[in-house]
Amino acid sequence: MRIPYRPLAIGLVTLAFSALVLARAQAGDRHFFAPVADPIVKEECGSCHLAFAPSMLPARSWQRMMGELDKHFGDNASLDPATAEKITSYLVANAGDAGGQRYSSKLLKGVTPGAAPQRITELPKWVSEHRKVPDWEWCHKEVRTKANCVACHTAAEQGYYEE
Amino acid sequence: MKNMLVVTSGIVAMILSTSTIASPREDLLAQYAAAAKVTSFSAARGQALHTQSSSGGKPDTPSCTTCHGKDTRSAGRALTGKTIEPVAVSVTPTRYTDPAKVEKWFKRNCTEVLGRECTPQEKGDWLTFVIGQ
C-alpha cells in the first residue's frame, strides 16, 4: 500500500497553521487595549509619551489626573478648561471599569476598590506581568523609562501588548 | 457649466493660496515683533537660545536640545523616550502653523528649560532660526 505523503503533509501543515492563527487570535484579544481614537486626546496626551489606552486605568484615576495636570509627574501639562473637560469625558467613558470592558479589567485586577492609581506601571497586575523583565532591559538607552511601552511593545500605538 | 467650473476652481485656488502654510508663521512673527517692539529677528540669537545650557529650569532639561536634539533636521526625543519630529521647517513643513500649539509649547518648554516664559523677542528669534533651517 502506498502512503499518500504529500496530501498528508499538506493536511498537517494546514492544521498546524490554523492552530497557530487561532492561538494568535486569542492572544490578540487578551493583549489588546483599544488605543485612543479621539484626535484631541491623541494630540494633547500623546505628544510627550504614547497616548495611554484609557482602559488601562479606572475612571476615578483619570478624573484625579485631569484635575492636577499642572503637577503631572513633575511636568506642567495644563490645558485650557474646555479641552481638559473634553478629554476627561473621553477617558472616563472608555476607562477600564466602564461597562463591558472585559479585557482591560485584567490589568485592573488587584487594584483596591475606590483607589485612583496614577501610574499604569504601578498597577499590581502590570508589575507582575513585568516581573520577569531583566534589569538591564529597563536600563537600555532606548527604553529610558517603564512608561515607554513602545520601546518593547512595538505595536502599542495600535493597542497590542505582546512580547 | 465649464465656465462655472473654472470660476469655482479659481476661487478654491485663491482660498488655498491665501491660507498656505507659510502665512500663519508670518502672522506669528508679526505678532511677536509687535509685542517686542522690533522690526526683525535674529536667527543667530535663536540658535544660541536653542543650544545654550541654562540652570534656571529643571536639572534634567538644561537645554532645548535635550529633547529636540542638536541637529534641527533630525528627530528629537522626549525624556519619556517618545520621538519628536524634527523642528526644522524644511524637514517638517507642517510645523508652527497652529498659533495656539506654538504658544502652548513655548510656555511649557521655556519654563522647563529656563524656569520662566520666553519673551516675544526670544520666541521670534527662535522661530526665525528654525524656519531658516
Side-chain angles (χ1 to χ4, degrees):
Chain A
M1 195 184 95
R2 276 193 52 187
I3 303 170
Y5 285 113
R6 260 176 85 99
L8 216 104
I10 291 173
L12 273 173
V13 165
T14 315
L15 218 106
F17 184 69
S18 47
L20 231 153
V21 167
L22 208 84
R24 254 192 100 76
Q26 278 167 349
D29 281 347
R30 218 159 52 80
H31 307 285
F32 182 70
F33 294 82
V36 167
D38 183 297
I40 298 176
V41 181
K42 230 190 217 158
E43 164 81 21
E44 301 297 345
C45 304
S47 41
C48 295
H49 45 62
L50 164 80
F52 298 111
S55 63
M56 289 189 170
L57 288 173
R60 39 184 197 279
S61 295
W62 295 122
Q63 275 154 339
R64 191 178 128 201
M65 191 178 298
M66 293 304 294
E68 39 192 51
L69 281 182
D70 56 327
K71 297 183 291 286
H72 183 74
F73 305 92
D75 270 22
N76 186 340
S78 305
L79 293 166
D80 65 88
T83 310
E85 201 175 309
K86 261 189 235 145
I87 294 176
T88 310
S89 345
Y90 179 83
L91 294 173
V92 166
N94 295 285
D97 54 353
Q101 307 244 2
R102 201 144 61 88
Y103 300 117
S104 62
S105 60
K106 199 185 107 190
L107 207 52
L108 297 185
K109 225 159 75 186
V111 173
T112 320
Q118 296 296 287
R119 278 192 184 270
I120 296 159
T121 53
E122 283 174 6
L123 297 172
K125 191 68 190 163
W126 191 94
V127 174
S128 70
E129 290 281 8
H130 293 84
R131 212 178 26 216
K132 284 186 247 153
V133 181
D135 277 347
W136 63 262
E137 251 188 69
W138 296 120
C139 300
H140 193 278
K141 71 175 179 17
E142 294 298 320
V143 175
R144 292 199 184 192
T145 137
K146 288 179 182 172
N148 188 11
C149 321
V150 186
C152 304
H153 304 285
T154 47
E157 304 259 12
Q158 288 77 47
Y160 292 98
Y161 292 83
E162 289 167 71
E163 292 153 52
Chain B
M1 190 59 208
K2 204 166 171 199
N3 274 345
M4 272 281 282
L5 249 168
V6 171
V7 170
T8 320
S9 50
I11 292 172
V12 169
M14 263 168 65
I15 293 171
L16 279 176
S17 66
T18 50
S19 64
T20 48
I21 45 176
S23 78
R25 283 194 286 259
E26 278 151 21
D27 288 352
L28 257 173
L29 282 175
Q31 269 174 38
Y32 292 144
K37 301 197 173 64
V38 295
T39 48
S40 67
F41 290 113
S42 149
R45 271 199 311 264
Q47 177 163 26
L49 171 67
H50 189 67
T51 51
Q52 79 185 10
S53 268
S54 157
S55 51
K58 289 202 218 144
D60 54 351
T61 53
S63 166
C64 305
T65 57
T66 309
C67 296
H68 291 299
K70 289 208 175 66
D71 178 2
T72 53
R73 295 191 187 93
S74 314
R77 202 113 90 87
L79 296 184
T80 46
K82 166 124 191 160
T83 304
I84 304 176
E85 299 267 286
V87 286
V89 169
S90 61
V91 189
T92 320
T94 50
R95 281 227 176 270
Y96 325 112
T97 50
D98 173 356
K101 177 176 175 183
V102 175
E103 273 295 295
K104 179 181 75 190
W105 286 104
F106 265 136
K107 190 167 171 199
R108 275 183 190 158
N109 296 343
C110 291
T111 313
E112 289 265 311
V113 173
L114 307 170
R116 61 168 174 83
E117 287 192 33
C118 282
T119 62
Q121 170 91 60
E122 286 170 325
K123 293 179 194 175
D125 288 342
W126 191 86
L127 267 189
T128 304
F129 166 58
V130 289
I131 288 171
Q133 284 290 297

